Every structure is written in C-alpha cells, then in structure tokens.
Amino acid sequence: MFDVIPSGCRRALDVGCGNGDLTRELRQRGIPEIVGIDPDEPCIERCKTHPAASDISYVVGDVLSGNTLELASFDLVSAVASLHHMDARSGLVRLRDLVAPGGVLVVVGLARPDLPKDIPIEVVAQIVRRVRPMPKKSSKMPAPPIIWPPPERYSTMRRLAAELLPGVQWRRHLLWRYSLLWKNLT
C-alpha cells in the first residue's frame, strides 16, 4: 500500500483506524498531517495514549456523518477492513468525496464469495491458508470490533467500485479480501 502514497502527500485520513497501526506507519513515512477516525471510543483512546501517537489527530466518529472532515482535502484516504462496517455505496461515495484532486483512495476490504461460482477459488484459499498461515499480530492491544461475515459479495463490491470510482483498479485476494485503488483525476 505504501508505494501508492502520492508524491508530496501532505494530509492522510485512515477510516476505521482501529488501534492506530496504519496511522503511526504513515507518520513514520513523513506525512505531516494524519487523521484517524473510528466509531469505537476505546480504540481511539488506545490510539491517543500510544507512545508513538505524537501529533496524529484521532477522532471518535462515523465517517459517513463526520461533518468535521472537509471534502476533497486528503491526499490519501485509506480504509482497511472498515468499509464493510457501513453501507457500501454510501461509504464509497463518502471516501471518494474526501480525496483531494490528485489524491488516492486505497481500500482493503472484506467481501463474501459469490457461490457456487467461487467454489474453486475458495478451495484454493483454504489450502493456501493451511500451507501459509496468516502472520500473528505482534500487538498486545485488544482487537477492534469485528463484523462477520461481511455483508456484501465480491460481485457487488466490484460493481459499486466500477460505478462510483471511474478508472478504479480492483484486485481480488484470497480469503474474503479485495483491494481497490483509485486516483482522483479531477
């Protein structure tokens, strides 16, 4: 994800920042102004009290109703495992509208397979998961809230992304994940 950060990125927003891991990584990469927003107050409190939080701004709130977020003002908007916590269409529209001209939107999302069509892919995913287990989290912090299973299917997310984000790059990953990358060319 870090290779798509726009050159000269001055302002970044992490939607559904959880415990703040991504916001702190963005700070280490030299982005001067970073905002993390999450509706879970305990997550935001953990973010604010982390020793590496320094001057990162953390907000308890819902990005869909977050009137404190100025439209078209972020060079980078990220949403990692958070879009499925909101209405997909409304969420994509809001995330898109927060991206400044020339800025980038990165979504790593969760979606359900389209069965029975996706059975071969799901079988391969289960084999891969057993052969190459997911890395263990090193953080001692509690896990952010989880919604499972994701409410939308891959086909729905792909269709919405193509409809709402002209020129979006879509990639399906194994184990219920996808990513999309969109650049605001306006």
Side-chain angles (χ1 to χ4, degrees):
M1 174 180 143
F2 301 110
D3 57 336
V4 299
I5 296 173
S7 176
C9 182
R10 308 276 315 145
R11 195 160 189 244
L13 171 68
D14 185 25
V15 176
C17 65
N19 291 324
D21 295 336
L22 180 56
T23 57
R24 291 187 298 274
E25 181 65 32
L26 292 171
R27 166 62 74 229
Q28 288 181 348
R29 295 184 181 263
I31 298 174
E33 185 180 346
I34 300 167
V35 177
I37 185 170
D38 199 294
D40 188 64
E41 192 167 350
C43 280
I44 293 297
E45 287 308 310
R46 287 191 294 273
C47 289
K48 288 179 176 180
T49 59
H50 192 281
S54 64
D55 59 345
I56 298 171
S57 176
Y58 291 105
V59 178
V60 175
D62 175 358
V63 72
L64 294 178
S65 60
N67 297 330
T68 60
L69 300 173
E70 185 180 342
L71 296 179
S73 66
F74 293 95
D75 301 311
L76 173 67
V77 174
S78 62
V80 177
S82 58
L83 185 59
H84 69 282
H85 288 259
M86 59 189 95
D87 175 74
R89 175 178 290 281
S90 300
L92 281 175
V93 167
R94 178 68 169 162
L95 296 175
R96 176 196 68 198
D97 291 349
L98 292 167
V99 179
V104 171
L105 169 62
V106 178
V107 174
V108 177
L110 302 173
R112 292 180 293 146
D114 292 296
L115 298 177
K117 178 182 83 144
D118 286 344
I119 287 175
I121 295 170
E122 292 304 307
V123 168
V124 169
Q126 292 304 320
I127 293 168
V128 168
R129 190 173 105 193
R130 294 200 189 337
V131 172
R132 192 183 69 199
M134 301 269 269
K136 300 262 188 234
K137 293 259 184 188
S138 61
S139 175
K140 305 252 190 262
M141 290 190 198
I146 295 172
I147 291 179
W148 199 261
E152 302 296 344
R153 298 193 178 281
Y154 283 120
S155 58
T156 303
M157 295 311 302
R158 181 180 296 218
R159 180 182 48 76
L160 283 173
E163 175 188 332
L164 301 171
L165 305 169
V168 69
Q169 295 176 28
W170 165 275
R171 181 170 174 216
R172 178 175 174 170
H173 303 274
L174 295 178
L175 301 174
W176 296 47
R177 291 180 295 149
Y178 66 89
S179 60
L180 59 90
L181 172 64
W182 176 75
K183 184 164 185 171
N184 185 353
L185 298 176
T186 60

